[in-house]
Amino acid sequence: MIAATGTALTPLSAPVARAEDGYDLWLRYARADAPRGAGLAAHATAIVAAGTSPTLTIATQELQRGVAGMTGTTLPLSATIQQGALLLATPASTPSLPVKTDGLGSEGYAIRSMTVDGKAVTVIAANSDVGLLHGAYHWLRLAQSGESLDHLDISSAPKIGLRLLNHWDNLNGTVERGYAGESIWDWWRLPDWKGPRYADYARANASIGINGTVLNNVNARSDSLTAPYIAKAAALADIFRPYGIKVYLSVKWTAPMELDGLKTADPLDPAVAAWWKAKADEIYKAIPDFGGFLVKANSEGQPGPQDYNRTHADGANMLAAAVKPHGGIVMWRAFVYAHDNPDDRAKQAYTDFKPLDGKFADNVIVQVKNGAIDFQPREPFHPLFGAMPKTPLMMEFQITKEYLGQSTHLTYLGPLFEEVLDADTFANGRGSTVAKVIDGSLEGHRLTGIAGVANIGANRDWSGSIFNQADWYAFGRLAWDTSLSAEGIAREWTKMTFSSDPKVVQPVVTMMMGSREAAVDYMTPLGLAHVMGTGHHYGPAPWVSDLARPEWNPVYYHKADVNGIGFDRTKRGSDAVGQYAPVVAKMLTDPRTTPERDLLWFHHLPWDYRLKSGDTLWDGLIHHYDGGVRYVADMQTTWASLKPYVDAERFAETEAFLTIQHREAQWWRDASIAYFQSVSKRPLPAGSAAPAHDLDWYKAQSFPYAPGHN
Ligand code: GCW
C-alpha cells in the first residue's frame, strides 16, 4: 500500500487509467471513435450561455465534461455566437430567443438546430435554468448514444409533476430492502461533512429528470424531525437545489408525543395540529423549498389516525394544513392492511380509501403501490387507480428489488413499469390507462406524482449491480415521459453504459427485455404471488403456514391442495374483482378471459384446467418454471459472447451474478416444484427433471443474514 506523503506522484495532466467500477453510471462520456468524435466536435465548438446561476454553471460544466470525455477537447465558453456553438437560453436571459418555450413549463426544454446570425448552432431553450439543465442532459444523451446531432427539433416537458425517489434509509445508516450497501446519507457527519457523493447523486437524478427525494424510511423515526436532523436535511437540500431536486421527509405519526410529550396524536386535537404547524414552520425556516411529508400510517404496525378513530383523510388533512402556507404537500400512502381484518389483503386499501374520495385537502396526494399486495414480480394494477376520481393518486413503484432477485438477479424492471402504466382501468371508457390516472389527464388533477423506492446505497456502483442501474434509469425516464417504451429506454441505457456498437446493444437489450418475465417464471408463474422466504424475502418458501397473521403466510396466497391452486377473487371468493371497473371485473370473472399471466391471482383452478398452450395447469406451471431457468442459462451464454466488447471489471461482475442467478433460479424452481408436488401428488411432465433435493432439504435452508431486512 502506498502511503500519502503529500508529494504529488502523478502529474495532474497524465491520463489516469480508471477501472469501470460503475460509479459513473450512464454518464460515462466514453471517448467516441474518430468519425463520431469529429461529428460531435463540429456540433459543440463553444457554449454560449446567457445569464449566471448555480444551475446554469452545472449545465455548462456538464456539457464541457461530456464533450471533453467524448472528444478529448475542451469546450470553451463564449460570449459571441460562432459556427457550431451550443446556445443555452431562457426568455428571461435572452429576450430575442428564437425558440418558443410555451408549453414547456418550468422543467421542460426545446432543442433546435438552427441558424442564428448566419451561424449554424444548436439552441437549448427553456423557461428556467433547470429546464436548460434537463435539455443539456438530453443533448448529451444523444451524443453519447451516437445519435445524429443534426436537424434537431425536440421539445420535451414532463406530464407528471412530482417525480421522486423514496429512500427507505434509516438514521443508523441501514437501508430497509437495500441491497447496495449502507445508506448514502452520512447522517452522523452531516451537516458538517458534505461528501462529493451528494452532488453526484443529484447529478445522476437530474440527468433523468427526477425532481425530489424523500430522504428517510417510511417506517420513520421521530428523530428525523428534531433540530439537528432538520439541519442535516437542510444541508442536503442546499446541495440538491441547483439540480432542481427538492427534499421531503417521511414522518412518524406519533412524533408530537415522542418528541414533545403530547398526550395524544389525534389529528383533530388542536394541540396536535398546532405542534405540526410549528414543526412545519421550523422546517421551512431551514429549507424554504421543502417539498413536504410522506406518511405510512396504520400499516404494518405504524401508528396513525385510525388509532384515534379518525380516518386517513383526517390525518392527511391536518398535516396538509401545516405545510400549506409554505406550498408544501402531503403524500399519504395507501399501503394498508390490518391484522384484525379477515378480508382479502388485496382488497383492504381500496376498502379503506375509496370511501374517502373527495375528502382530502387539495395539497394531499394519495400514494398507491402499483399492485394491491406488495411489489410482487407481477401484480395486476391496483384497483384504486381509476376508482378515486376526485383524489389525485400517485404511483409507487419499487426500484429496489425486494422480490425480484435483490442485487444479483438481472431482472430489468422497465417492462414491469411499462405494463402497469399501460394497463387500462376502463374507469372512463377504453384508454383510461393508469398512466393517464397518475398524470392527471383522465380526471383533471393538477397535483400529480410518481415515486420509486430507491435502489441506491453506498456501494461504489450505487445500485448493487451494473444492471440494477438500469432500473433507476428506467424509472426516471418513464416518470418524465410515461409514453416511452421500456425497450427504447433499455437501448439508450445500454448505449451509454456499455457501448453503442450494435454487436453489444442488440444482445444486451434482448437479454434485458425478457429478464423480468423469466423471473416471474422461475419465482411466481401464472399469477402466483408472495411465496418467498419470511422476513428477508430471499428465496422460495411456498410451504410457510405458521406465521401469526394469515396474510404473512405464502399458503394464504396460493391455496394449493390436492385439487388445485390459486386465490379465488371472483364473486364466489373474496370478490376483489368487484373493485375494478365493470368491464375489467367482467373479464377477470372468467378464467378464460383473464390474462393467463394473472390467472392464479384471480382464480382457484383444478390442476387439470387447460391452459391456452393445451397443457394442464399442473404441466404448464412446471413448464413455466423450466422456461425461467432456461432463460437465465441463455443470458449466461449471451453474456459470455460479449466478453470481447465489455471491460473486464463489469464483465466479470455480471458473469458472476448471472451464475448466482442461475443457481437461484434453479433453486426457486426446484423448491417450488418439490413443495407443490407434495400437495398435488402429480408426476412431472415428460422432460422435466425432478428437483435436486427433497422438500425437507429446501425447508431446512435458513438465511439469518440476508441483506435488507431489519
Ligand atoms: O414491501 C414491504 C416491505 C417492507 C416495507 C413495506 C412498505 C418500508 O417488505 O419492508 O416497509 O412494504 O412499503 O411500507
Side-chain angles (χ1 to χ4, degrees), residues 189-205:
R189 290 186 286 185
L190 278 165
D192 303 291
W193 168 238
K194 297 181 272 284
R197 195 149 189 171
Y198 301 138
D200 288 343
Y201 164 88
R203 168 179 176 249
N205 281 315

Side-chain angles (χ1 to χ4, degrees), residues 625-639:
Y625 285 122
D626 284 337
V629 180
R630 217 168 27 240
Y631 192 91
V632 181
D634 290 346
M635 289 202 288
Q636 290 182 286
T637 309
T638 303
W639 189 251

Side-chain angles (χ1 to χ4, degrees), residues 100-446:
K100 286 238 175 318
T101 57
D102 313 350
L104 297 177
S106 59
E107 296 182 294
Y109 53 85
I111 308 178
R112 286 208 18 217
S113 310
M114 58 198 307
T115 306
V116 176
D117 295 349
K119 312 272 175 15
V121 298
T122 305
V123 178
I124 301 179
N127 289 314
S128 70
D129 289 354
V130 165
L132 294 179
L133 180 62
H134 291 146
Y137 279 116
H138 189 129
W139 187 87
L140 284 163
R141 182 162 64 236
L142 298 175
Q144 279 210 89
S145 314
E147 302 290 330
S148 167
L149 299 170
D150 284 321
H151 312 299
L152 298 180
D153 186 5
I154 295 164
S155 52
S156 182
K159 282 206 221 131
I160 299 180
L162 309 169
R163 303 176 305 279
L164 312 191
L165 291 184
N166 286 183
H167 286 266
W168 287 356
D169 293 24
N170 299 313
L171 301 184
N172 66 2
T174 58
V175 181
E176 181 156 353
R177 311 306 176 186
Y179 310 101
E182 295 266 287
S183 172
I184 53 167
W185 317 133
D186 187 351
W187 291 115
W188 190 249
R189 290 186 286 185
L190 278 165
D192 303 291
W193 168 238
K194 297 181 272 284
R197 195 149 189 171
Y198 301 138
D200 288 343
Y201 164 88
R203 168 179 176 249
N205 281 315
S207 79
I208 50 176
I210 285 171
N211 66 0
T213 179
V214 183
L215 299 174
N216 60 321
N217 193 349
V218 288
N219 289 329
R221 293 276 185 167
S222 301
D223 309 66
S224 62
L225 295 177
T226 57
Y229 278 89
I230 291 171
K232 293 167 194 276
L236 293 175
D238 289 343
I239 299 170
F240 302 162
R241 187 168 297 115
Y243 293 88
I245 296 171
K246 287 186 182 181
V247 305
Y248 299 74
L249 290 173
S250 296
V251 297
K252 185 167 185 188
W253 187 255
T254 43
M257 300 167 75
E258 292 182 15
L259 296 181
D260 285 309
L262 269 65
K263 292 278 170 298
T264 175
D266 180 348
L268 301 192
D269 186 303
V272 173
W275 187 91
W276 281 105
K277 197 179 171 324
K279 186 51 74 181
D281 293 348
E282 181 188 351
I283 295 172
Y284 277 94
K285 207 165 275 158
I287 313 173
D289 57 352
F290 178 67
F293 295 134
L294 172 63
V295 193
K296 172 176 180 177
N298 294 116
S299 168
E300 299 188 326
Q302 291 298 323
Q306 291 180 334
D307 303 341
Y308 308 90
N309 290 319
R310 310 298 185 195
T311 67
H312 287 289
D314 294 331
N317 294 347
M318 183 274 288
L319 285 184
V323 293
K324 174 110 184 170
H326 306 284
I329 57 141
V330 169
M331 297 168 286
W332 194 272
R333 293 176 92 224
F335 175 69
V336 296
Y337 61 99
H339 64 285
D340 47 4
N341 186 345
D343 202 7
D344 178 0
R345 172 172 166 189
K347 290 176 64 185
Q348 294 184 27
Y350 179 103
T351 307
D352 263 17
F353 279 82
K354 165 90 179 156
L356 300 176
D357 190 24
K359 303 231 158 78
F360 290 94
D362 63 1
N363 59 332
V364 174
I365 185 163
V366 174
Q367 181 165 315
V368 183
K369 287 189 181 181
N370 60 276
I373 300 283
D374 189 16
F375 300 137
Q376 296 304 295
R378 166 166 286 125
E379 295 193 32
F381 72 87
H382 200 300
L384 276 174
F385 292 115
M388 292 183 68
K390 289 183 243 144
T391 309
L393 301 187
M394 68 188 281
M395 172 66 72
E396 179 175 320
F397 280 129
Q398 193 180 45
I399 309 172
T400 191
K401 296 194 300 199
E402 175 177 359
Y403 298 102
L404 272 142
Q406 305 187 350
S407 77
T408 48
H409 294 208
L410 196 170
T411 45
Y412 169 53
L413 298 183
L416 187 162
F417 301 155
E418 183 178 47
E419 179 178 303
V420 176
L421 292 168
D422 290 351
D424 199 339
T425 69
F426 280 89
N428 232 337
R430 186 181 295 280
S432 305
T433 59
V434 171
K436 287 188 190 161
V437 174
I438 63 167
D439 73 16
S441 61
L442 190 72
E443 297 149 348
H445 296 299
R446 289 180 51 211

